PDB file of all heavy atoms in Angstrom:
ATOM      1  N   VAL A 279      24.884  -6.354 -13.070  1.00 98.00           N
ATOM      2  CA  VAL A 279      24.893  -7.813 -13.346  1.00 98.00           C
ATOM      3  C   VAL A 279      23.485  -8.302 -13.491  1.00 98.00           C
ATOM      4  O   VAL A 279      22.556  -7.904 -12.779  1.00 98.00           O
ATOM      5  CB  VAL A 279      25.586  -8.520 -12.090  1.00 98.00           C
ATOM      6  CG1 VAL A 279      25.511 -10.020 -12.151  1.00 98.00           C
ATOM      7  CG2 VAL A 279      26.935  -8.099 -11.862  1.00 98.00           C
ATOM      8  N   ARG A 280      23.234  -9.175 -14.429  1.00 98.00           N
ATOM      9  CA  ARG A 280      21.911  -9.783 -14.554  1.00 98.00           C
ATOM     10  C   ARG A 280      22.090 -11.258 -14.609  1.00 98.00           C
ATOM     11  O   ARG A 280      22.986 -11.716 -15.206  1.00 98.00           O
ATOM     12  CB  ARG A 280      21.079  -9.115 -15.619  1.00 98.00           C
ATOM     13  CG  ARG A 280      21.489  -9.579 -16.929  1.00 98.00           C
ATOM     14  CD  ARG A 280      20.938  -8.729 -18.044  1.00 98.00           C
ATOM     15  NE  ARG A 280      21.772  -8.738 -19.175  1.00 98.00           N
ATOM     16  CZ  ARG A 280      21.390  -9.111 -20.398  1.00 98.00           C
ATOM     17  NH1 ARG A 280      20.121  -9.213 -20.668  1.00 98.00           N
ATOM     18  NH2 ARG A 280      22.192  -9.212 -21.422  1.00 98.00           N
ATOM     19  N   GLY A 281      21.002 -11.965 -14.093  1.00 98.00           N
ATOM     20  CA  GLY A 281      21.130 -13.455 -14.051  1.00 98.00           C
ATOM     21  C   GLY A 281      19.797 -14.043 -14.277  1.00 98.00           C
ATOM     22  O   GLY A 281      18.802 -13.329 -14.393  1.00 98.00           O
ATOM     23  N   GLN A 282      19.823 -15.346 -14.635  1.00 98.00           N
ATOM     24  CA  GLN A 282      18.605 -16.061 -14.846  1.00 98.00           C
ATOM     25  C   GLN A 282      18.709 -17.332 -14.061  1.00 98.00           C
ATOM     26  O   GLN A 282      19.795 -18.013 -14.132  1.00 98.00           O
ATOM     27  CB  GLN A 282      18.384 -16.336 -16.293  1.00 98.00           C
ATOM     28  CG  GLN A 282      17.120 -16.889 -16.730  1.00 98.00           C
ATOM     29  CD  GLN A 282      17.154 -17.224 -18.224  1.00 98.00           C
ATOM     30  OE1 GLN A 282      17.729 -18.163 -18.686  1.00 98.00           O
ATOM     31  NE2 GLN A 282      16.328 -16.404 -18.977  1.00 98.00           N
ATOM     32  N   TYR A 283      17.638 -17.740 -13.260  1.00 98.00           N
ATOM     33  CA  TYR A 283      17.877 -18.974 -12.498  1.00 98.00           C
ATOM     34  C   TYR A 283      17.847 -20.333 -13.282  1.00 98.00           C
ATOM     35  O   TYR A 283      16.999 -20.306 -14.228  1.00 98.00           O
ATOM     36  CB  TYR A 283      16.898 -19.008 -11.385  1.00 98.00           C
ATOM     37  CG  TYR A 283      15.425 -19.071 -11.585  1.00 98.00           C
ATOM     38  CD1 TYR A 283      14.729 -20.199 -11.895  1.00 98.00           C
ATOM     39  CD2 TYR A 283      14.595 -17.878 -11.498  1.00 98.00           C
ATOM     40  CE1 TYR A 283      13.374 -20.227 -12.126  1.00 98.00           C
ATOM     41  CE2 TYR A 283      13.348 -17.799 -11.745  1.00 98.00           C
ATOM     42  CZ  TYR A 283      12.635 -19.043 -11.992  1.00 98.00           C
ATOM     43  OH  TYR A 283      11.293 -19.134 -12.156  1.00 98.00           O
ATOM     44  N   GLY A 284      18.738 -21.179 -12.883  1.00 97.00           N
ATOM     45  CA  GLY A 284      18.689 -22.501 -13.445  1.00 97.00           C
ATOM     46  C   GLY A 284      18.022 -23.426 -12.419  1.00 97.00           C
ATOM     47  O   GLY A 284      17.394 -22.930 -11.501  1.00 97.00           O
ATOM     48  N   THR A 285      18.160 -24.676 -12.597  1.00 97.00           N
ATOM     49  CA  THR A 285      17.549 -25.595 -11.719  1.00 97.00           C
ATOM     50  C   THR A 285      18.269 -25.520 -10.317  1.00 97.00           C
ATOM     51  O   THR A 285      19.354 -24.930 -10.363  1.00 97.00           O
ATOM     52  CB  THR A 285      17.610 -27.150 -12.124  1.00 97.00           C
ATOM     53  OG1 THR A 285      18.956 -27.249 -12.443  1.00 97.00           O
ATOM     54  CG2 THR A 285      16.763 -27.286 -13.394  1.00 97.00           C
ATOM     55  N   GLY A 286      17.766 -26.069  -9.327  1.00 97.00           N
ATOM     56  CA  GLY A 286      18.401 -26.051  -8.052  1.00 97.00           C
ATOM     57  C   GLY A 286      17.463 -26.510  -6.965  1.00 97.00           C
ATOM     58  O   GLY A 286      16.361 -26.953  -7.268  1.00 97.00           O
ATOM     59  N   GLY A 295      14.440 -24.748 -13.713  1.00 96.00           N
ATOM     60  CA  GLY A 295      15.081 -23.525 -14.098  1.00 96.00           C
ATOM     61  C   GLY A 295      14.003 -22.717 -14.735  1.00 96.00           C
ATOM     62  O   GLY A 295      12.992 -23.084 -15.151  1.00 96.00           O
ATOM     63  N   TYR A 296      14.420 -21.299 -15.001  1.00 97.00           N
ATOM     64  CA  TYR A 296      13.475 -20.457 -15.614  1.00 97.00           C
ATOM     65  C   TYR A 296      13.028 -20.896 -17.042  1.00 97.00           C
ATOM     66  O   TYR A 296      11.789 -20.854 -17.309  1.00 97.00           O
ATOM     67  CB  TYR A 296      14.137 -19.107 -15.723  1.00 97.00           C
ATOM     68  CG  TYR A 296      13.313 -17.951 -16.349  1.00 97.00           C
ATOM     69  CD1 TYR A 296      12.247 -17.563 -15.724  1.00 97.00           C
ATOM     70  CD2 TYR A 296      13.564 -17.468 -17.677  1.00 97.00           C
ATOM     71  CE1 TYR A 296      11.499 -16.529 -16.298  1.00 97.00           C
ATOM     72  CE2 TYR A 296      12.814 -16.509 -18.201  1.00 97.00           C
ATOM     73  CZ  TYR A 296      11.720 -15.949 -17.510  1.00 97.00           C
ATOM     74  OH  TYR A 296      10.879 -15.056 -18.089  1.00 97.00           O
ATOM     75  N   LEU A 297      13.963 -21.454 -17.742  1.00 96.00           N
ATOM     76  CA  LEU A 297      13.659 -21.841 -19.082  1.00 96.00           C
ATOM     77  C   LEU A 297      12.720 -23.157 -19.096  1.00 96.00           C
ATOM     78  O   LEU A 297      12.228 -23.611 -20.211  1.00 96.00           O
ATOM     79  CB  LEU A 297      14.843 -22.056 -19.938  1.00 96.00           C
ATOM     80  CG  LEU A 297      15.799 -20.762 -20.113  1.00 96.00           C
ATOM     81  CD1 LEU A 297      16.929 -21.024 -20.922  1.00 96.00           C
ATOM     82  CD2 LEU A 297      14.891 -19.672 -20.768  1.00 96.00           C
ATOM     83  N   SER A 306      14.568 -17.700 -23.804  1.00 94.00           N
ATOM     84  CA  SER A 306      14.416 -16.408 -23.289  1.00 94.00           C
ATOM     85  C   SER A 306      15.783 -15.817 -22.695  1.00 94.00           C
ATOM     86  O   SER A 306      16.522 -16.564 -22.050  1.00 94.00           O
ATOM     87  CB  SER A 306      13.394 -16.330 -22.197  1.00 94.00           C
ATOM     88  OG  SER A 306      13.395 -15.129 -21.470  1.00 94.00           O
ATOM     89  N   THR A 308      15.447 -13.224 -20.665  1.00 96.00           N
ATOM     90  CA  THR A 308      14.900 -12.287 -19.654  1.00 96.00           C
ATOM     91  C   THR A 308      15.608 -12.532 -18.254  1.00 96.00           C
ATOM     92  O   THR A 308      15.923 -13.687 -17.899  1.00 96.00           O
ATOM     93  CB  THR A 308      13.436 -12.652 -19.400  1.00 96.00           C
ATOM     94  OG1 THR A 308      12.824 -12.276 -20.639  1.00 96.00           O
ATOM     95  CG2 THR A 308      12.815 -11.852 -18.330  1.00 96.00           C
ATOM     96  N   THR A 310      16.160 -12.723 -14.216  1.00 98.00           N
ATOM     97  CA  THR A 310      15.302 -12.970 -13.010  1.00 98.00           C
ATOM     98  C   THR A 310      16.030 -12.472 -11.765  1.00 98.00           C
ATOM     99  O   THR A 310      15.590 -12.578 -10.670  1.00 98.00           O
ATOM    100  CB  THR A 310      15.008 -14.501 -12.848  1.00 98.00           C
ATOM    101  OG1 THR A 310      16.296 -15.143 -12.713  1.00 98.00           O
ATOM    102  CG2 THR A 310      14.320 -14.986 -14.038  1.00 98.00           C
ATOM    103  N   PHE A 311      17.293 -11.823 -12.064  1.00 98.00           N
ATOM    104  CA  PHE A 311      18.130 -11.391 -11.058  1.00 98.00           C
ATOM    105  C   PHE A 311      18.895 -10.133 -11.511  1.00 98.00           C
ATOM    106  O   PHE A 311      19.259 -10.099 -12.714  1.00 98.00           O
ATOM    107  CB  PHE A 311      19.237 -12.380 -10.615  1.00 98.00           C
ATOM    108  CG  PHE A 311      20.215 -11.914  -9.616  1.00 98.00           C
ATOM    109  CD1 PHE A 311      20.139 -12.184  -8.249  1.00 98.00           C
ATOM    110  CD2 PHE A 311      21.281 -11.109 -10.018  1.00 98.00           C
ATOM    111  CE1 PHE A 311      20.967 -11.686  -7.390  1.00 98.00           C
ATOM    112  CE2 PHE A 311      22.219 -10.624  -9.081  1.00 98.00           C
ATOM    113  CZ  PHE A 311      22.075 -10.936  -7.727  1.00 98.00           C
ATOM    114  N   ALA A 459      23.961 -12.807 -22.948  1.00 93.00           N
ATOM    115  CA  ALA A 459      22.925 -13.466 -22.205  1.00 93.00           C
ATOM    116  C   ALA A 459      23.138 -13.207 -20.767  1.00 93.00           C
ATOM    117  O   ALA A 459      24.241 -13.047 -20.290  1.00 93.00           O
ATOM    118  CB  ALA A 459      22.753 -14.909 -22.552  1.00 93.00           C
ATOM    119  N   PRO A 460      21.916 -13.211 -19.964  1.00 97.00           N
ATOM    120  CA  PRO A 460      22.179 -13.176 -18.504  1.00 97.00           C
ATOM    121  C   PRO A 460      22.953 -14.427 -18.016  1.00 97.00           C
ATOM    122  O   PRO A 460      22.819 -15.475 -18.645  1.00 97.00           O
ATOM    123  CB  PRO A 460      20.771 -13.127 -17.968  1.00 97.00           C
ATOM    124  CG  PRO A 460      19.830 -13.422 -19.052  1.00 97.00           C
ATOM    125  CD  PRO A 460      20.581 -13.349 -20.354  1.00 97.00           C
ATOM    126  N   GLU A 461      23.685 -14.227 -16.983  1.00 97.00           N
ATOM    127  CA  GLU A 461      24.388 -15.410 -16.337  1.00 97.00           C
ATOM    128  C   GLU A 461      23.390 -16.281 -15.613  1.00 97.00           C
ATOM    129  O   GLU A 461      22.578 -15.861 -14.886  1.00 97.00           O
ATOM    130  CB  GLU A 461      25.240 -14.854 -15.298  1.00 97.00           C
ATOM    131  CG  GLU A 461      26.728 -14.848 -15.576  1.00 97.00           C
ATOM    132  CD  GLU A 461      27.514 -14.145 -14.443  1.00 97.00           C
ATOM    133  OE1 GLU A 461      27.873 -14.849 -13.448  1.00 97.00           O
ATOM    134  OE2 GLU A 461      27.659 -12.901 -14.436  1.00 97.00           O
ATOM    135  N   THR A 462      23.597 -17.596 -15.811  1.00 97.00           N
ATOM    136  CA  THR A 462      22.722 -18.585 -15.134  1.00 97.00           C
ATOM    137  C   THR A 462      23.246 -18.685 -13.767  1.00 97.00           C
ATOM    138  O   THR A 462      24.411 -18.730 -13.452  1.00 97.00           O
ATOM    139  CB  THR A 462      22.776 -19.956 -15.902  1.00 97.00           C
ATOM    140  OG1 THR A 462      22.529 -19.642 -17.285  1.00 97.00           O
ATOM    141  CG2 THR A 462      21.746 -20.830 -15.258  1.00 97.00           C
ATOM    142  N   TYR A 463      22.351 -18.717 -12.789  1.00 98.00           N
ATOM    143  CA  TYR A 463      22.676 -19.083 -11.402  1.00 98.00           C
ATOM    144  C   TYR A 463      21.779 -20.184 -10.989  1.00 98.00           C
ATOM    145  O   TYR A 463      20.685 -20.422 -11.449  1.00 98.00           O
ATOM    146  CB  TYR A 463      22.570 -17.868 -10.533  1.00 98.00           C
ATOM    147  CG  TYR A 463      21.130 -17.284 -10.408  1.00 98.00           C
ATOM    148  CD1 TYR A 463      20.285 -17.574  -9.369  1.00 98.00           C
ATOM    149  CD2 TYR A 463      20.707 -16.322 -11.352  1.00 98.00           C
ATOM    150  CE1 TYR A 463      19.077 -17.012  -9.235  1.00 98.00           C
ATOM    151  CE2 TYR A 463      19.474 -15.742 -11.317  1.00 98.00           C
ATOM    152  CZ  TYR A 463      18.648 -16.082 -10.260  1.00 98.00           C
ATOM    153  OH  TYR A 463      17.345 -15.450 -10.132  1.00 98.00           O
ATOM    154  N   GLN A 464      22.350 -21.015 -10.040  1.00 98.00           N
ATOM    155  CA  GLN A 464      21.565 -22.151  -9.579  1.00 98.00           C
ATOM    156  C   GLN A 464      20.554 -21.598  -8.635  1.00 98.00           C
ATOM    157  O   GLN A 464      20.761 -20.756  -7.697  1.00 98.00           O
ATOM    158  CB  GLN A 464      22.679 -22.941  -8.715  1.00 98.00           C
ATOM    159  CG  GLN A 464      22.228 -24.296  -8.646  1.00 98.00           C
ATOM    160  CD  GLN A 464      23.262 -25.089  -7.751  1.00 98.00           C
ATOM    161  OE1 GLN A 464      24.449 -24.704  -7.572  1.00 98.00           O
ATOM    162  NE2 GLN A 464      22.777 -26.211  -7.204  1.00 98.00           N
ATOM    163  N   SER A 465      19.371 -22.122  -8.739  1.00 98.00           N
ATOM    164  CA  SER A 465      18.270 -21.767  -7.846  1.00 98.00           C
ATOM    165  C   SER A 465      18.689 -22.090  -6.461  1.00 98.00           C
ATOM    166  O   SER A 465      19.311 -23.075  -6.241  1.00 98.00           O
ATOM    167  CB  SER A 465      16.924 -22.496  -8.139  1.00 98.00           C
ATOM    168  OG  SER A 465      16.344 -22.033  -9.264  1.00 98.00           O
ATOM    169  N   THR A 467      20.707 -20.203  -4.692  1.00 97.00           N
ATOM    170  CA  THR A 467      21.926 -19.478  -4.347  1.00 97.00           C
ATOM    171  C   THR A 467      21.618 -17.949  -4.387  1.00 97.00           C
ATOM    172  O   THR A 467      20.594 -17.555  -4.769  1.00 97.00           O
ATOM    173  CB  THR A 467      23.047 -19.824  -5.226  1.00 97.00           C
ATOM    174  OG1 THR A 467      22.749 -19.320  -6.540  1.00 97.00           O
ATOM    175  CG2 THR A 467      23.270 -21.279  -5.332  1.00 97.00           C
ATOM    176  N   GLY A 469      22.496 -15.778  -6.453  1.00 97.00           N
ATOM    177  CA  GLY A 469      22.506 -15.144  -7.728  1.00 97.00           C
ATOM    178  C   GLY A 469      23.886 -15.436  -8.385  1.00 97.00           C
ATOM    179  O   GLY A 469      24.692 -16.204  -7.874  1.00 97.00           O
ATOM    180  N   PRO A 470      24.144 -14.837  -9.534  1.00 97.00           N
ATOM    181  CA  PRO A 470      25.388 -15.106 -10.345  1.00 97.00           C
ATOM    182  C   PRO A 470      26.620 -14.726  -9.536  1.00 97.00           C
ATOM    183  O   PRO A 470      26.543 -13.766  -8.719  1.00 97.00           O
ATOM    184  CB  PRO A 470      25.274 -14.219 -11.546  1.00 97.00           C
ATOM    185  CG  PRO A 470      23.943 -13.656 -11.513  1.00 97.00           C
ATOM    186  CD  PRO A 470      23.346 -13.799 -10.166  1.00 97.00           C
ATOM    187  N   VAL A 471      27.699 -15.444  -9.848  1.00 96.00           N
ATOM    188  CA  VAL A 471      28.985 -15.070  -9.190  1.00 96.00           C
ATOM    189  C   VAL A 471      29.365 -13.584  -9.399  1.00 96.00           C
ATOM    190  O   VAL A 471      29.951 -12.991  -8.469  1.00 96.00           O
ATOM    191  CB  VAL A 471      30.063 -16.071  -9.738  1.00 96.00           C
ATOM    192  CG1 VAL A 471      31.383 -15.838  -8.979  1.00 96.00           C
ATOM    193  CG2 VAL A 471      29.617 -17.427  -9.638  1.00 96.00           C
ATOM    194  N   SER A 472      29.121 -13.084 -10.601  1.00 97.00           N
ATOM    195  CA  SER A 472      29.492 -11.733 -10.884  1.00 97.00           C
ATOM    196  C   SER A 472      28.851 -10.701  -9.788  1.00 97.00           C
ATOM    197  O   SER A 472      29.353  -9.609  -9.782  1.00 97.00           O
ATOM    198  CB  SER A 472      29.076 -11.384 -12.156  1.00 97.00           C
ATOM    199  OG  SER A 472      29.517 -12.261 -13.094  1.00 97.00           O
TER     200      SER A 472
END
Side-chain angles (χ1 to χ4, degrees):
V279 171
R280 71 194 157 129
Q282 188 184 72
Y283 61 81
T285 55
Y296 181 69
L297 298 180
S306 169
T308 295
T310 62
F311 175 98
E461 250 177 90
T462 306
Y463 59 98
Q464 204 183 338
S465 283
T467 65
V471 182
S472 310

